[in-house]
Amino acid sequence: MKKLLIPFFLAATFSLAACNDQNQTATTVKSQAQTSEEKNLQNFPALHVKDVTVFDKDQVVPVSLDGVKTESHVNTFVNLSETQVPWLNELLISKQYEEGLNYFTEFTESSNQNSNEDLKANATPSKQNLMDLFAKIHKHSIESVQESGSIGSELVLHMSYIGQRNNLVTFRNDIYTYSGGAHGLQIGSYLNINVEKQSVISLDDIIDKKDQPTLLKALWEIYSNLPENSDGTFTEKQDFTISPQFYFDQNGINFIYPPYALFPFVYGETRLTLPWDSDEANLIKLKW
């Protein structure tokens, strides 16, 4: 009987040792990740931000509309917020390039233009790549108004620095587009960047999916109680969503909705603020 027990105890001992080694390895990896993130925060400076124009071209193009010669206005612009932090600059260039590429793809599809240009997603685009992209956008905008006789075409992509606090840095992008008609459309988007993880913060990063219905309900209450909705809401409850565009300030978390999302165009963008002292704010994982 004792001979049978010895292998059992040895196996159990080795099994426990292996588990301890695995736990220690997992703890070490987690500790190293935390140390790396802490170093990123400790080494992150107070930002010095410059507004740098990357591409800016404004042209008057002769066009023909229903046989009548006239002129079309084509304007293409993109800038960058440039800092003294290399990885942050790379991230900001990447975001501007992504916005430009999305616009170019939608523009060529909607105008039925078949572009032979090799414009693909680029994980690490340079400032020169960004400039080349917007040069191509400008070229195709000119070709489009010449073909359609449109009175104008504009794309303005303007980035601005909002500020930094603790491990959070925030930028805003204003995207103005015009392709003819009564008016253009301006939409604001936000880049909230975690400097410890060197990544953009998404909605799922600040609140768990299981808690998002509670946040949605709170935002609906804020929206439906606005004075402008005294006679009923512009947007139906079943169509109401949590905006993925948000920023933090001393008042709370501000969720930004573009024109037409919650009100008619004339109202512009709408901000719904979830106060820090609300119960729902306790669900937010990121502390401002």
Side-chain angles (χ1 to χ4, degrees):
M1 184 67 178
K2 289 181 180 179
K3 289 182 180 180
L4 290 174
L5 287 176
I6 290 173
F8 172 80
F9 285 125
L10 285 174
T13 301
F14 284 127
S15 176
L16 287 172
C19 287
N20 287 334
D21 288 343
Q22 289 176 353
N23 290 337
Q24 287 175 357
T25 300
T27 302
T28 301
V29 170
K30 184 176 180 181
S31 177
Q32 288 174 345
Q34 289 175 337
T35 301
S36 176
E37 291 179 4
E38 288 170 359
K39 285 182 179 179
N40 288 339
L41 180 58
Q42 291 171 359
N43 295 332
F44 196 79
L47 288 178
H48 301 293
V49 184
K50 295 188 297 182
D51 187 326
V52 178
T53 298
V54 177
F55 187 90
D56 184 10
K57 209 155 192 178
D58 195 345
Q59 284 183 252
V60 175
V61 181
V63 298
S64 178
L65 181 60
D66 297 329
V68 179
K69 291 184 178 180
T70 183
E71 293 180 336
S72 180
H73 178 245
V74 178
N75 179 33
T76 310
F77 174 91
V78 63
N79 78 325
L80 279 170
S81 292
E82 198 166 81
T83 76
Q84 74 273 40
V85 181
W87 71 259
L88 181 56
N89 290 339
E90 290 176 3
L91 189 153
L92 296 177
I93 291 172
S94 176
K95 288 300 175 182
Q96 293 297 70
Y97 188 89
E98 181 182 334
E99 292 283 4
L101 188 60
N102 289 341
Y103 172 86
F104 184 81
T105 302
E106 293 176 9
F107 175 74
T108 53
E109 288 177 353
S110 63
S111 60
N112 295 318
Q113 288 186 331
N114 294 318
S115 172
N116 294 320
E117 317 269 6
D118 184 21
L119 290 177
K120 299 179 181 179
N122 190 332
T124 56
S126 65
K127 191 187 295 185
Q128 185 62 51
N129 292 144
L130 182 62
M131 186 184 302
D132 293 343
L133 170 60
F134 274 75
K136 290 180 174 69
I137 290 173
H138 188 75
K139 174 177 174 286
H140 279 269
S141 297
I142 292 174
E143 293 172 355
S144 178
V145 298
Q146 287 175 331
E147 181 180 337
S148 66
S150 172
I151 61 172
S153 176
E154 289 190 67
L155 170 62
V156 176
L157 182 55
H158 188 272
M159 178 179 285
S160 54
Y161 172 59
I162 302 300
Q164 71 180 105
R165 180 184 173 94
N166 299 324
N167 67 329
L168 183 68
V169 176
T170 303
F171 296 84
R172 175 182 165 105
N173 240 345
D174 284 291
I175 307 168
Y176 176 81
T177 57
Y178 177 76
S179 56
H183 56 73
L185 182 64
Q186 180 167 317
I187 297 176
S189 63
Y190 286 85
L191 290 173
N192 297 290
I193 300 167
N194 185 325
V195 302
E196 290 178 295
K197 297 183 177 180
Q198 300 184 1
S199 62
V200 176
I201 299 169
S202 68
L203 180 65
D204 291 343
D205 292 325
I206 67 169
I207 182 167
D208 291 331
K209 283 187 177 296
K210 65 180 178 61
D211 294 323
Q212 289 179 19
T214 303
L215 173 60
L216 179 66
K217 182 179 179 181
L219 291 175
W220 171 258
E221 290 299 318
I222 294 169
Y223 166 61
S224 60
N225 287 321
L226 291 175
E228 296 87 345
N229 287 323
S230 57
D231 295 326
T233 60
F234 178 78
T235 299
E236 298 293 334
K237 189 172 185 178
Q238 64 267 23
D239 298 324
F240 183 80
T241 60
I242 303 172
S243 174
Q245 304 304 329
F246 57 87
Y247 69 92
F248 304 84
D249 65 14
Q250 66 275 14
N251 298 315
I253 310 167
N254 304 281
F255 292 87
I256 306 301
Y257 293 80
Y260 296 119
L262 301 184
F263 291 107
F265 172 81
V266 68
Y267 284 81
E269 71 178 22
T270 304
R271 179 183 64 198
L272 301 181
T273 301
L274 182 72
W276 287 121
D277 60 1
S278 65
D279 291 338
E280 293 79 10
N282 293 325
L283 300 175
I284 303 301
K285 295 186 288 184
L286 188 148
K287 301 304 178 185
W288 186 76

